[in-house]
Amino acid sequence: MGIRTLVAMLVTALVVIGALATQESYKVFMPGLLQGAVLTIEIAILGSLLAIVMGVLAALARMYGPAPLRWLATVYVEIFRGTSALVQLFWLFFVLPQFGVTLDAFLVAVLALGLNVGAYGSEVVRGAIQSVARGQWEASTALNMSRPQMLRRIILPQAFVAMIPPWGNLFIELLKSTALVSLITLSDLAFKAQQMNQNTFKTIPIFTLVLLMYLAMSLVVTIGMRLLERRASLGLARGKAA
Amino acid sequence: MIWDWAFAFEILPVLARAAIVSIEATLIGFALAASLGLVLAVVRIAVPWTGWTISVLVELIRSTPLLIQIFFLYFVFPKFGVVLDAFTAGVLAIGIHYAAYCSEVYRAGFDNIHRGQWEASVALNLSAWTTFRDIIIPQAIPPIVPALGNYLVALFKETPLLSAIAVLELMQTAKIIGSETFRYTEPMTLVGLFFLAMSLVSAALIRSLEGLLNRRTMR
């Protein structure tokens, strides 16, 4: 979809939310839902940051690390890609305390989602680094650059552009996964919706508002990533790679 | 004692029975996703004016959390007098959610068909139905099977969400065992291992399928 359509959808979603919020039957739910949305956004942002860190570290460890580190990174990626996000969330929340590590629910949420998406992200980073043309590596070697120098100055800036669209998709996945944290007692947007639904049985207004709010948040991420992509590919001959 | 083998073996049969429900949900959900996705992709080509509507619909479904969609179907249907049991509502939600993803995969498959194939079909006076059934689909589907396979695995990993509406699948069973015995370590870990094993096996299957299909199309 073009960026204009996406902006139009975002504006429509916001206008509809605004219009519904003026209605008496919807108005009562707004403060609670907005409160939940703030927590959702917090978890999404912190989770994304952790995902980026883990993705880059795991990819670099798998590609250039010494054998034990490479092995560790592979196990990490396989475990977190191979099991469900919800299983990971519950495992950290229910099982870890039995090993004597009790984490606060918010921390569990950020850790589980960040580690989960980071595992997928490491494959994105790896793919993007490998998509940089061979000649770039050879030229860096010819210029007698060390490996860290090569990565930092030549390879990563180019790989970065190729990484943006798939990371955009992963951020959306992460944002949507934040709904799972409602199942470990955090009062995010999904939790508030569930709670209000149980109290009032006004299912349609509540869930319509919640779906629109998630839609608006996802669209903000999509549009932001498109703009970032446009910005980052300025001055690069190869626009959209991989 | 952190890990109790006796307890783990005791709950294994219960979890195995629950795993069958998870697998059932996966298969029914995916059958729904694959067929509904195909319908969406075909309608989009056959009836051009629906293109925009379908894009928006797909974007809507893909941009909102599956958990909310499951709740929505589960709680909203009774308002219209249709009471669905939790399993049906959940599988329906999963199927529709993944249909949105699958329709994009099919679309990519259709986009890869050479224009000449369509033109030749018109020249041969084939009806739209025959063109799709005999010319386009046989060429478009094999290359996208691995992509569909990846969504099958992704869908399988989403089935624990059904525990949120109390479907007695793997996760819900593990949670119940945990709350009854206050031992979460064994059930949760076993569930995790089960998913890990299934994912690794299916990833290997998809890889070999990919190789097989490549060989066939390369000829």
Side-chain angles (χ1 to χ4, degrees), chain A residues 50-225:
Chain A
L50 179 62
I52 296 173
V53 172
M54 288 310 292
V56 172
L57 286 183
L60 292 180
R62 277 183 94 174
M63 293 172 79
Y64 310 114
L69 212 57
R70 202 157 60 216
W71 188 78
L72 193 72
T74 308
V75 170
Y76 157 65
V77 170
E78 289 301 328
I79 286 183
F80 278 88
R81 291 203 320 160
T83 56
S84 322
L86 188 59
V87 176
Q88 292 154 21
L89 205 59
F90 278 3
W91 204 89
L92 290 182
F93 191 66
F94 290 112
V95 180
L96 222 48
Q98 307 204 357
F99 290 90
V101 187
T102 307
L103 301 173
D104 152 65
F106 181 80
L107 199 56
V108 167
V110 171
L111 267 181
L113 298 179
L115 290 174
N116 179 271
V117 173
Y120 288 91
S122 83
E123 295 291 284
V124 167
V125 173
R126 202 156 71 114
I129 290 178
Q130 280 167 351
S131 80
V132 174
R134 264 181 69 98
Q136 300 285 331
W137 293 94
E138 287 161 0
S140 319
T141 312
L143 289 169
N144 204 18
M145 285 184 166
S146 68
R147 180 140 256 176
Q149 266 181 332
M150 234 185 251
L151 278 172
R152 200 178 68 238
R153 297 198 181 156
I154 310 296
I155 306 302
L156 287 180
Q158 297 182 71
F160 180 66
V161 181
M163 276 180 220
I164 296 172
W167 270 110
N169 289 338
L170 288 178
F171 291 149
I172 304 273
E173 287 300 320
L174 194 145
L175 176 64
K176 292 195 295 172
S177 306
T178 57
L180 304 184
V181 307
S182 62
L183 303 175
I184 57 164
T185 70
L186 281 172
S187 50
D188 75 321
L189 190 48
F191 183 88
K192 292 276 182 193
Q194 258 287 67
Q195 195 185 33
M196 290 176 175
N197 184 45
Q198 271 161 7
N199 292 339
T200 63
F201 294 105
K202 297 241 171 21
T203 309
I204 294 178
I206 295 170
F207 280 96
T208 309
L209 278 175
V210 169
L211 285 172
L212 284 169
M213 284 180 182
Y214 275 113
L215 176 67
M217 289 192 267
S218 299
L219 286 170
V220 168
V221 176
T222 313
I223 294 168
M225 293 305 279

Side-chain angles (χ1 to χ4, degrees), chain A residues 1 5-6 9 78-87 90-91 94-95 98-99 120 172-173 175-177 179-180 182-183 189-190 193-194 197-198 201-204 207-208 210-212 214-215 218-219 222, chain B residues 2 52 55-57 59-69 71-72 75-76 79-80 97 101 156-164 171 175 182-186 188-189 191-193 195-197 199-200:
Chain A
M1 254 196 223
T5 325
L6 292 169
M9 272 178 87
E78 289 301 328
I79 286 183
F80 278 88
R81 291 203 320 160
T83 56
S84 322
L86 188 59
V87 176
F90 278 3
W91 204 89
F94 290 112
V95 180
Q98 307 204 357
F99 290 90
Y120 288 91
I172 304 273
E173 287 300 320
L175 176 64
K176 292 195 295 172
S177 306
L180 304 184
S182 62
L183 303 175
L189 190 48
Q194 258 287 67
N197 184 45
Q198 271 161 7
F201 294 105
K202 297 241 171 21
T203 309
I204 294 178
F207 280 96
T208 309
V210 169
L211 285 172
L212 284 169
Y214 275 113
L215 176 67
S218 299
L219 286 170
T222 313
Chain B
I2 285 176
W52 191 82
S55 306
V56 171
L57 189 70
E59 195 66 34
L60 283 177
I61 295 176
R62 293 204 307 178
S63 308
T64 49
L66 177 56
L67 183 66
I68 304 286
Q69 293 169 3
F71 282 147
F72 189 75
F75 293 120
V76 165
K79 303 258 165 191
F80 296 104
H97 190 81
Y101 285 94
F156 175 59
K157 284 187 286 180
E158 301 271 27
T159 55
L161 292 191
L162 295 177
S163 67
M171 192 75 225
K175 238 166 50 178
F182 297 106
R183 292 200 66 97
Y184 282 98
T185 313
E186 292 85 0
M188 292 289 167
T189 309
V191 170
L193 287 176
F195 276 100
L196 188 60
S199 302
L200 291 176

